[in-house]
Amino acid sequence: MGLFLSTAFGFPTVLFTPMLIVAAVYWILVVVGAADTELLDGVDADGEAAGLSALMTRAGLLGGSGRTPAESHGERSGARAPVTVSLTLMVGVAWFVSMMGGIMTSLLETTSPSLLLALGAVVLLIALIAAWAVTSGLAMAVARLLPGRRSDSKHDLVGRTCVIRIGEASEGFGRAEITTDAGAEISIHVRTTGGEVLPLGSTALIFDHDRENDVFLVTHFDPALDPGRD
């Protein structure tokens, strides 16, 4: 037990031990329904991965395509793993490899601080490479197994609600605000049909995306009918 604790809280494993504890607590909260598995997933105005999601996608850590919408227009891209899943896997692998490396280093029975630091740095590098390789490999495998999705992900916003901003929304003009799953508020162009006019501040339902004009078609929506409303 002494060797386990000294290695877990010694360099370089100590860099990953707190992260592993946080990850364990987070997944306990997910199991009891107090947290969401897509907590760290972010999207931009086009519904494409943004922030940490985009960074990890391009690094091959979430699976799917890391290309921009213009590069993959009209094609299907693989499914992506949630950021929290990939981060947990990376931390777990890095912690395990650094633990094994730390235990092997302790068997050398050297007391030289500089040598121990150098060995620790080598173990850290190996742990990071192993974490990336394992996570990337599993993410790509998941992307191949799960159904793909259209890269034109603006259609992902269809069926969601938005709030009319900047005057009224009509057949000729309209701006609305929508909140993404990551909690970011984005502004989108909207239009109504059939002569409908939606006043400023009203809630609208996005029922289609007009690709030719790059606008969302909306209609009035009663907030009282929202199934997610408390």
Side-chain angles (χ1 to χ4, degrees), residues 7 36 58 62 66 77-78 96 103 156 158 181 203 217:
T7 304
D36 185 3
R58 291 192 177 277
L62 299 182
S77 58
F96 178 79
I103 292 175
D156 292 344
V158 174
D181 293 332
T203 300
L217 303 181

Side-chain angles (χ1 to χ4, degrees), residues 18-202:
M19 300 181 193
L20 190 65
I21 294 174
V22 170
V25 173
Y26 164 76
W27 285 108
I28 291 175
L29 293 177
V30 170
V31 170
V32 300
D36 185 3
T37 57
E38 298 183 352
L39 179 66
L40 300 179
D41 291 276
V43 294
D44 57 18
D46 294 331
E48 294 297 318
L52 184 59
S53 296
L55 180 63
M56 293 184 66
T57 297
R58 291 192 177 277
L61 296 171
L62 299 182
S65 173
R67 296 175 295 176
T68 63
E71 295 171 327
S72 57
H73 181 72
E75 299 177 6
R76 296 182 70 85
S77 58
R80 297 188 184 98
V83 171
T84 52
V85 172
S86 291
L87 282 179
T88 301
L89 180 59
M90 287 183 65
V91 170
V93 172
W95 182 87
F96 178 79
V97 173
S98 61
M99 273 290 291
M100 295 300 100
I103 292 175
M104 293 179 64
T105 299
S106 66
L107 298 178
L108 299 177
E109 298 183 353
T110 179
T111 58
S112 172
S114 58
L115 179 57
L116 289 174
L117 182 61
L119 290 173
V122 172
V123 171
L124 175 60
L125 179 60
I126 294 174
L128 291 174
I129 293 175
W132 175 84
V134 172
T135 304
S136 177
L138 289 178
M140 286 189 291
V142 169
R144 292 191 183 97
L145 293 174
L146 295 181
R149 62 178 180 84
R150 294 290 300 182
S151 60
D152 184 13
S153 55
K154 287 187 176 181
H155 284 285
D156 292 344
L157 298 181
V158 174
R160 301 183 60 173
T161 59
C162 59
V163 178
I164 304 301
R165 302 298 187 196
I166 312 180
E168 299 177 329
S170 63
E171 292 187 45
F173 175 81
R175 294 284 291 183
E177 191 175 81
I178 187 171
T179 302
T180 67
D181 293 332
E185 294 183 346
I186 58 177
S187 180
I188 58 176
H189 294 278
V190 297
R191 298 289 187 273
T192 62
T193 59
E196 184 178 18
V197 176
L198 302 178
L200 174 68
S202 63

